[in-house]
Every structure is written in structure tokens, then in C-alpha cells.
Amino acid sequence: MFNGIIFNKGIVKKILKRPKGINIFIKSDIKMSKKDIGVSVACDGVCLTLITIKNKLMEFYLSNETIERSKFKHLKKNDQINLELPLKYGQKISGHICQGHVDTVGKINSIKKIDKSYLFDFHLNSKEKRNIIEKASICINGISLTISKVTQKGFQIWIIPHTFKLTNLSKLKKGSFVNIEIDILSKYVKRYINDKK
């Protein structure tokens, strides 16, 4: 479980194709060692298991299922990745509950700088658009954010300078793909109401 507050980033150094997936190697200053092998790490919001680490180079395996459901089908060497370690008991939850189970891939329609903040406009497929509401939490590339407006083709989010600087949002542009995880609580409520009908 994660809370979508990003303090660490990494750079994709190597992508190794396998018969039914890929192994990715991410270089980062995040504090991890060999004793952490087996730990879950949110990589751009996708919960992945650390399988090796050496000289700050972390290795993760992605199955074809994970690749198809995430933006990692577009992954390239030198891409910047947001990283988050799992929550510890007693840790403050500053964002919202994030599972690292990506629902879909979104696409950036536009990015506008307004004063010191940034307005991001995202395209979202109609199936998942039914699950979002204004002012609800949403996880984008592993970042806990708030939907400011639901639009005809997706939604908008305001990004403050602090978040823009600390995450890979500063590296994105029009046409970039992002991982999206819909708030799990809203999905549970919707399922419960539909089952009652």
C-alpha cells in the first residue's frame, strides 16, 4: 500500500525483453539495499517487486499483463520514473490510499502554466471516465492528486510548483502517456450500489 507522495525518482538504464514480459533496471538514490529484495516499490504508480539491487541499480520484472495495463508498453531507456516505498505502520498518510494497481493509461491533451502552477488536461477512456468525479482523489504516475474538473474527454488537475519539481510531471509534454489508478474507495462504493440495484 502506498499514499502517492513522491520523494524519489529514478532513471531507466536498461530494458531486457523476455518471452512473457520485460525486466527493467532503474538507477536511483532511494535508500534500499540487498536486504530489501522482495519489497514492493511503486514505479510510476505500478506496484513492482524488487528482485535485485547493486550499486543503486534496481531490477524489476513486469509481466505482459502489467505492460498492457500500464504506460510501460511505451517505456524507453532514460525515462524518468517516480518511486515510492510501501507505507510503514504508523506512517502519516498525506495523500490517499494507493494500491499500485493501475486501471488504465491516460494521455496529456495540454499543459498550461498559469502563474506559478500548471494546469494538466488529460484524456481518459469513456469506461474509466464514469468512475471519476470532481474533487475526488486520483493517482497519476504514482502521485496522489485531486481532480479539479471533469471534462468531456477526461479531466483536469492543477499541479503546484512543489509537486511539479519533485516528480516526473516536469518531464511530460502534450501527447505523453501516464498511469492512472482510480480511487479504490470510489470503486468499492460504486460496486456496492450497483449490487443493491
Side-chain angles (χ1 to χ4, degrees):
M1 185 184 297
F2 309 91
N3 71 352
I5 304 300
I6 306 298
F7 293 105
N8 298 282
K9 292 178 286 189
I11 301 293
V12 176
K13 290 295 184 181
K14 183 180 177 181
I15 302 170
L16 182 63
K17 291 186 178 180
R18 303 182 66 88
K20 294 187 178 181
I22 59 172
N23 284 37
I24 62 172
F25 297 79
I26 301 173
K27 188 94 170 182
S28 174
D29 289 329
I30 195 169
K31 292 183 179 179
M32 298 187 78
S33 65
K34 288 183 179 179
K35 66 180 177 61
D36 295 307
I37 289 173
V39 166
S40 295
V41 180
C43 300
D44 264 0
V46 180
C47 181
L48 299 176
T49 301
L50 179 69
I51 56 177
T52 67
I53 182 168
K54 185 177 182 181
N55 298 326
K56 298 184 178 181
L57 189 67
M58 301 178 292
E59 180 184 5
F60 302 92
Y61 170 72
L62 288 77
S63 67
N64 283 338
E65 169 74 8
T66 301
I67 295 166
E68 282 305 310
R69 285 182 173 266
S70 70
K71 70 165 195 167
F72 286 134
K73 60 172 106 19
H74 307 289
L75 190 68
K76 301 184 300 294
K77 188 177 176 182
N78 295 321
D79 278 356
Q80 193 176 77
I81 304 289
N82 293 326
L83 301 171
E84 183 188 358
L85 296 176
L87 289 170
K88 295 179 181 177
Y89 179 76
Q91 186 176 335
K92 292 180 180 178
I93 300 179
S94 298
H96 73 284
I97 296 172
C98 307
Q99 294 183 302
H101 302 162
V102 169
D103 293 295
T104 189
V105 175
K107 190 174 183 180
I108 297 177
N109 288 326
S110 65
I111 303 171
K112 296 177 183 177
K113 186 174 182 182
I114 301 174
D115 194 16
K116 292 184 179 181
S117 296
Y118 298 83
L119 179 63
F120 278 68
D121 186 89
F122 297 92
H123 180 272
L124 186 63
N125 65 61
S126 56
K127 177 186 174 185
E128 296 299 344
K129 186 172 175 287
R130 294 195 296 267
N131 294 323
I132 63 170
I133 59 172
E134 193 172 302
K135 303 303 178 186
S137 296
I138 194 165
C139 193
I140 297 176
N141 279 0
I143 311 161
S144 175
L145 297 166
T146 303
I147 297 169
S148 61
K149 181 180 180 181
V150 178
T151 64
Q152 187 176 358
K153 293 186 177 181
F155 61 95
Q156 294 180 342
I157 286 180
W158 282 95
I159 305 296
I160 62 172
H162 180 76
T163 303
F164 190 80
K165 181 180 178 180
L166 284 182
T167 68
N168 64 5
L169 291 179
S170 61
K171 300 294 183 182
L172 304 183
K173 56 188 178 181
K174 180 179 179 179
S176 292
F177 294 100
V178 295
N179 290 324
I180 295 178
E181 179 185 334
I182 309 295
D183 182 14
I184 186 64
L185 298 179
S186 68
K187 290 190 283 188
Y188 277 133
V189 170
K190 184 176 181 180
R191 176 65 181 270
Y192 176 80
I193 291 172
N194 287 341
D195 287 348
K196 287 288 185 179
K197 289 181 180 178

